[in-house]
Structures are given as C-alpha cells and as structure tokens.
Amino acid sequence: MKKKENKNETIRIVPLGGLEQIGMNITAFETESSIIIVDCGLAFPEDDMLGVDLVIPDVTYLEDRRDKVKGFVITHGHEDHIGALPYVLQRMNIPIYATRLTMAIIESKLKEHNLLGNVKRKVVSYGQFINLGDFRIEFICTNHSIADSAALAIYTPAGVIVHTGDFKVDYTPVYGDTIDLARFGELGKKGVLALMCDSTNVLKPGFTESERTVGKTFDTIFDDNEKSRIIVATFASNVDRVQQIINSASKQKRKVAIEGRSMVNIVNTAIELGYITVPEGMMIPLEEMNMYPDEKIVLITTGSQGESMAALSRIAASIHKKVTIKPGDVVIFSSRPIPGNEKSVSKVINELSMKGAKVIIQDTHVSGHACQEEIKLIYSLVRPKYSIPVHGEYRHLIGQGEVAVQMGVKKENVIILRSGDVLEIGEESAEIVENVHSAGIMVDGLGVGDVGNIVLRDRQHLSENGLMVVVLTLERGSNMVLAGPDIVSRGFVYVRESENLMDECREVVNIALDRLVSRGVTDWGKIKTDIKDSLADFLWKKMKRNPMILPIIMEV
C-alpha cells in the first residue's frame, strides 16, 4: 500500500545525465525501498570524441541498487530520451512504461538488439496512473515535435513532483490533443512540491509557433516549385512534420518515397499505428522513383544536420546508390542546425548547390520546445514550492531559475543541479547531499565503454601528428642489431618524398643504440624509451612536429 505523504519524509532525485548538456536525459527518483527512472537517453559525441558513435549514461549507481529499481518511465520517443535503453537493459533488465507511439519506437530498437522477448513493457494512456513501489505516476498529455509526448506527475511520500518532459504549448497540433493545461492547474491547486521543467528554449522570449504553421509554408514552397522534384530533409522522429509534407504532396498528387534507416523505421511504425495518414498508393519504394516524372515526386530523407553517413549527405556527395541530384531539384532543410553542426550543414548545402539544386532553408521549421511565456504559463498553473530546471546547458538552467523567481518561486527554492548530484528533497528542506559518478560511457561500434580518455588522447595525437614506427631485430643475449632499424610512417610525411629525412631518422636511432650498447643497457623498456626520446627530440628540432613514435623490437 502506498505511503501517505508526510511533512518529514524526503526522497532523493539523482540526475545521471541531461544537465549541462542537450541529450542523455536520465533521472532517478529514490526512496528507502524504491527507485524509478525517468527516461534513458543517449548523447551524440563531441568533436573531440574521435571515432565515437554515441555516448550513454553510466548507470553504476542504479546497478548497485538493482533490487530497488521498479521501472523506466519514458516521456517520449526521441533518441536523447530512449536511445540508451538497449545498452542499459543488457546490464539490468527493468520494465518499461511509455505511451503507445513511444513504446513502438522503443520496441523497434529492442528488436535490433535481440531484447524484445526479454523485457517487460506496458503501454500507458494519458490520465492513467501506474504504481511502482513507493511511487505513483500519472501520464499527462503534452505537445512536442513527436506525438504521444507526456509530462509526469510523480506522487511520492514527500509530495507531488511534476516533470514536464520535452514540451511546448501547441493549441493547433497536427496530431492528437492539445496539452492538458487543466490537469496542470488541478495539480497546482492541490499542491506541488517541485516542478522539473524543460529549459531548452527558456532564453527565447514569447511563444513557440505551432507545428501547423510549417504546413502552410510547405504548401507555398510546393506551389512555387510545382515543376521540380522535391527533396525534404528533416528529423526522422518528427512524425508531425512528415505528415505535413505528405499533406502538401497529396495536394499536387505527388508520390512520396522515404530514405534513411531511422526515417523508414519510425515512419513505417507511425503509419502502422495511425499516427501518419497516407492516401492509398501514394507511398512508393525508393527504387520506383525513376518511373515517375520529377514533378510527381517527393523524397523525405534524413541528414538535415549534415551527418556524414546520413542519406542526404551521401546524395550530396554523389555516393548514394539510388538517388542522384539533378539540376532543378529543390532541396528543403526542414530543421535548424544543432549548435556545432553548422559547418557540416553548410558543406552539404554547397555540394547540393554545385550540382544545380535549389536549396531552401528558411521558415520550414519550428521548435518542439517551450519558449519563456509557455514556461511561465506552466509555473502559473503548477505553482511549485521548488523549481528544479532540467533539459539544458548550464546557461539554460540558470535562465529558467530566473523565470521561476519571476513567477513567485523563492530564490532559495530554485535548485540548479549538475549531473550526478543527489538532491534530498521534502516539504521542509531541499539540499544536495552528495555527488555520484555520472560520466558518459562511449560507444564505438560494438564496443561499449572500452574507449576512454587515454584512447581518445591517442586518437587525437594520431589525427594531429601522425605515426612513426621503428622496427629493429636484436640478437638474444648480446643485443646486437641484426636487422633495421626500419622506419614506417603513416600520416606524418610521405615516405617516398622524404627519403633523406628517413635516412636521418635511422641515423638518430643507430646513434641511440650505440650509446645504449656502450652503457651495457639490456632492458627493452629502456631501449624503447631512449629510441623514442631521441627520435622525438630530433623531429621536433628539425620539423617542429611531434608524431606518435612506436619502437618495435624483435628478438632472434
């Protein structure tokens, strides 16, 4: 039976990711006997994470308390909220609770990782309550750039905590109902201990435009380019955007093809569940595009962020097997570049333009996140005692703290957390009591966690300075040089044009070996270190370069 709220009761809130960054959202709520986890997302690698595919949260804190963990409660189906689930579930098998479309997208991920048969899943409807240990969770309808997004009212022994998830206030959504503001108001009247609110767009004044406004823009662009083949790049998960592209294509009786693995998976799932409506016979396989005149084709693809392996980037670089850009094609970028992706996007735009395509990048995107006035509206309805900003970089969290104070939250009751902080909160107090390990784990190919800071440092060194390998064969016992030193270079200089330099390098190594023999040094570790130091010193003085040097000694 659920504990009654008690003024002296406290619970712990432990964000293991998602703060001071966009992505990798995961937060644990903990009592003496129960833990629930809200979201389990991934982050995409920073520029200095060479070769890393993605970053997932470190859930050691949860693994150490595995017996208490009751379930994952998921707010919506974006990668930064569900992408790490297949990796974390391999370490600890926990039930998942989510709305219908969100669960369908999760299931397609679990299928890829052969986990579908092992993991308990429950689809939850808006207004439904689920009981997990000491917690009772209510799913509340919100709007975002993907359908079936939910806010959560988490009933705890210490009081009610409202978690908005990613949200905006959209009075004219493309699919589904408007955000349930009435329910937020009802919760506010009963009393809310803390509000954990999306901070992504808090620095932008005003309101976020409705997703439906993009549909009118598409209609205009399609009308202006009715003789051209149209290619639209957008986020795979923006189901409502795909629906509006289909609506505009339908008015001109165009056929629609889909490209990009994630786009195909999500769109097919959304069509099966009825979240996207497509007129019969309108959707065609990519291979059949050439059977129709250009003015009767729309291609919806991934790659709006300039990702090197995404479909649009491969099309722009002429390495896509099935789609070739033709002069007169119209390419619409229906997204804004995520900070850090601007150069990649510009490169793709330039490549498309060089091939004669007309590129349109303005007015075809609205955000899925609430701006200042919508956040103020939520605060005015919920009236929380404490404000705990989430989902954003540090400047966003600070910005929301300022908005919370404007809306009547006491300054001392605004709590800015960092990932790993353990917040103990109750009616009487809220304080950070400790910090737990929360660094991201890097995923490279099939390797999870085997790439760390030392490996990244080596990759950085190799990428900037190249590699030089010194190979020599020594006689066992006497340490006389029987063969070599041979020098192999990769990414440092082109050996065939630098024979004199290679000869000088060999001479430096020979001098170092003679010096070592005269001193009677037989330890291979010392020999390698001396060769490496001598060669590094010579190359720095000669060329002001610092390649990675690997001496390899063979014994005969």
Side-chain angles (χ1 to χ4, degrees), residues 223-377:
D223 289 342
D224 292 345
N225 298 281
E226 59 184 357
K227 300 295 182 191
S228 301
R229 182 173 67 165
I230 294 176
I231 299 170
V232 187
T234 190
F235 292 115
S237 58
N238 198 333
V239 171
D240 289 347
R241 189 72 46 85
V242 173
Q243 179 69 71
Q244 294 187 100
I245 298 164
I246 289 168
N247 293 348
S248 296
S250 177
K251 290 169 187 171
Q252 292 188 354
K253 295 188 167 47
R254 291 177 181 256
K255 300 291 185 184
V256 173
I258 306 285
E259 174 56 344
R261 189 171 65 93
S262 55
M263 181 72 77
V264 170
N265 286 344
I266 290 178
V267 169
N268 285 341
T269 300
I271 290 171
E272 282 172 30
L273 296 178
Y275 290 85
I276 293 178
T277 307
V278 186
E280 197 171 333
M282 185 182 191
M283 200 72 85
I284 60 168
L286 195 65
E287 295 78 10
E288 291 182 15
M289 267 178 43
N290 295 332
M291 295 165 56
Y292 297 88
D294 287 352
E295 66 270 17
K296 291 298 175 191
I297 287 293
V298 173
L299 173 64
I300 307 174
T301 179
T302 54
S304 63
Q305 295 300 309
E307 310 97 311
S308 59
M309 292 312 294
L312 186 65
S313 298
R314 288 185 284 121
I315 293 168
S318 300
I319 56 173
H320 195 284
K321 292 176 182 175
K322 296 173 184 173
V323 184
T324 306
I325 290 291
K326 297 184 272 190
D329 283 348
V330 172
V331 182
I332 303 168
F333 278 75
S334 186
S335 70
R336 290 193 190 104
I338 294 168
N341 289 352
E342 295 88 351
K343 280 187 180 177
S344 303
V345 173
S346 293
K347 182 186 173 194
V348 173
I349 289 170
N350 284 326
E351 287 176 332
L352 292 166
S353 300
M354 284 176 193
K355 291 175 173 63
K358 175 183 172 185
V359 180
I360 298 172
I361 52 177
Q362 80 282 5
D363 300 328
T364 55
H365 178 69
V366 296
S367 177
H369 298 272
C371 287
Q372 266 180 33
E373 295 305 313
E374 292 149 276
I375 290 171
K376 287 179 183 175
L377 176 58

Side-chain angles (χ1 to χ4, degrees), residues 86 105-117:
I105 296 169
I106 290 169
E107 285 174 348
S108 70
K109 285 185 164 300
L110 298 181
K111 199 172 180 180
E112 280 180 30
H113 289 79
N114 296 318
L115 292 170
L116 197 56

Side-chain angles (χ1 to χ4, degrees), residues 214-222 232 241 245 248 332 334:
V214 179
K216 295 172 186 171
T217 309
F218 278 130
D219 283 346
T220 304
I221 293 171
F222 276 53
V232 187
R241 189 72 46 85
I245 298 164
S248 296
I332 303 168
S334 186

